[in-house]
Amino acid sequence: MTEKKDNSDIEILKTEGVRKAFVLNQPFVPAFSALLLLKQGRLTVRYRQEEHVISAYDMLLLNRLVVVELLEVSPDAEMLMVAMGNDFQHRVPVRFNKLDMIQYFATSPALQLSFSENEFNDIWEIVRIMEARQHHTGFTFTIDLLHTLLVSVSYMMAKQISENLPLKNRSDSRREKLTVEFIRLLHVHFRQQHNLNFYAQRLRVTSKHLSESLKKVTGFTGRELINMALVCEAKVLLVNDNLKVAAVSEQLNFSDQFAFSKFFKRLTNTNPTEYSRGLLSCNP
């Protein structure tokens, strides 16, 4: 997936732009969070070791913690994608609980939301306006306008998520805030910082308290979340950037390629070289 082209922290792509952004049958992790809207047609994607079909009126959430492979795009697919800078979702002034979104997409087997036709069309129209306005450099408040419109989309997502969340005891506000801050730090530092103590010190809590809080909110321990981010990034580097194992090991700050290979095999049941060769053999 390509990087965002400008310095605003939002970019909107139409169908052709989305098609160009991805390579079929290759795993990717976006360098930013993104919402992919499908108005018509069908997409087949693979994530969390399972294939999923994205149908009309669905929204697919892309984030740095999950590797996604785009397997098929129907010829009649009509799409819009909103790419957001990594800090956007933490800065916008919204009243709903942001942890509902993190909790839903961290624990649900699916990364998509399905809307009614009317609800989806409302979201589509907002994003279409965003796409039309994003390059209006003569308008002083373009970035503010994009932020406001995207907050509107976020509220509509929050409504849908709240209706799909299973009933459970809600974590207290401190635990929720801690999880949001950990996810923000993880996006920035996971390539170089693999130790939970680093994040605990930054957040001024003990490693035990941090991990227990994360487990309560997301279903994963801190160590598991760090490992997920590292494995996702490693898969993308091995395939999309055609890097050798030693280079990937260095980029992800492992002591050497043997330590990296051992880590990768423990989490994926295959070594990095076999993983890369296996995917490349399917994409001559």
Side-chain angles (χ1 to χ4, degrees), residues 19-275:
R19 288 180 181 273
K20 292 177 181 178
F22 302 110
V23 178
L24 287 179
N25 299 306
Q26 286 199 4
F28 66 87
V29 177
F32 41 80
S33 298
L35 307 175
L36 181 61
L37 306 173
L38 184 65
K39 186 175 179 64
Q40 70 175 34
R42 167 189 170 115
L43 308 178
T44 304
V45 299
R46 180 187 294 121
Y47 56 82
R48 293 176 178 155
Q49 290 77 53
E50 294 185 4
E51 291 188 11
H52 300 264
V53 174
I54 312 299
S55 303
Y57 313 134
D58 283 354
M59 173 190 291
L60 177 67
L61 180 80
L62 306 174
N63 65 68
R64 292 203 60 81
L65 296 182
V66 181
V67 172
V68 178
E69 293 180 56
L70 185 59
L71 304 178
E72 183 182 5
V73 182
S74 66
D76 63 335
E78 184 178 1
M79 299 172 281
L80 284 172
M81 185 172 75
V82 183
M84 299 166 281
N86 288 332
D87 289 333
F88 170 78
Q89 58 268 44
H90 303 291
R91 293 190 290 101
V92 292
V94 291
R95 294 175 183 241
F96 64 80
N97 187 349
K98 298 175 190 177
L99 259 295
D100 280 353
M101 289 194 180
I102 292 176
Q103 183 178 345
Y104 179 81
F105 287 111
T107 60
S108 171
L111 293 177
Q112 66 236 50
L113 289 172
S114 296
F115 295 87
S116 69
E117 182 177 357
N118 288 338
E119 289 176 327
F120 183 90
N121 285 336
D122 288 342
I123 295 174
W124 183 270
E125 184 61 21
I126 292 171
V127 176
R128 191 194 62 77
I129 293 171
M130 292 172 64
E131 191 281 328
R133 301 290 304 189
Q134 66 180 329
H135 300 305
H136 285 203
T137 56
F139 181 54
T140 305
F141 304 107
T142 293
I143 294 178
D144 293 324
L145 176 62
L146 294 178
H147 284 188
T148 300
L149 291 171
L150 187 52
V151 168
S152 299
V153 172
S154 299
Y155 275 109
M156 299 175 79
M157 289 176 61
K159 172 182 177 294
Q160 191 71 7
I161 288 172
S162 66
E163 293 174 354
N164 285 276
L165 276 173
L167 294 175
K168 58 177 69 176
N169 294 326
R170 295 300 180 91
S171 303
D172 60 69
S173 60
R174 289 184 180 179
R175 183 178 288 134
E176 294 170 349
K177 181 179 179 181
L178 184 62
T179 302
V180 169
E181 290 303 310
F182 172 80
I183 296 295
R184 182 184 63 80
L185 286 173
L186 184 65
H187 284 164
V188 175
H189 297 290
F190 76 88
R191 295 171 193 81
Q192 298 299 313
Q193 301 294 340
H194 307 170
N195 195 314
L196 188 63
N197 287 334
F198 167 83
Y199 301 95
Q201 289 173 4
R202 286 291 189 95
L203 297 170
R204 298 181 180 180
V205 296
T206 66
S207 296
K208 180 180 179 181
H209 176 70
L210 175 58
S211 195
E212 289 176 349
S213 296
L214 294 171
K215 179 73 173 180
K216 185 71 173 180
V217 174
T218 71
F220 300 103
T221 66
R223 180 71 262 169
E224 288 170 336
L225 289 168
I226 294 170
N227 287 347
M228 287 165 60
L230 286 168
V231 167
C232 287
E233 188 76 0
K235 288 181 176 180
V236 172
L237 292 174
L238 286 166
V239 178
N240 294 346
D241 291 354
N242 294 318
L243 295 179
K244 295 188 180 298
V245 174
V248 175
S249 171
E250 182 177 356
Q251 285 202 23
L252 296 181
N253 200 31
F254 282 83
S255 57
D256 53 52
Q257 69 181 76
F258 303 105
F260 167 68
S261 295
K262 182 178 180 180
F263 165 84
F264 191 89
K265 186 166 186 177
R266 177 167 59 84
L267 270 72
T268 67
N269 294 317
T270 185
N271 66 52
T273 302
E274 292 171 345
Y275 176 81

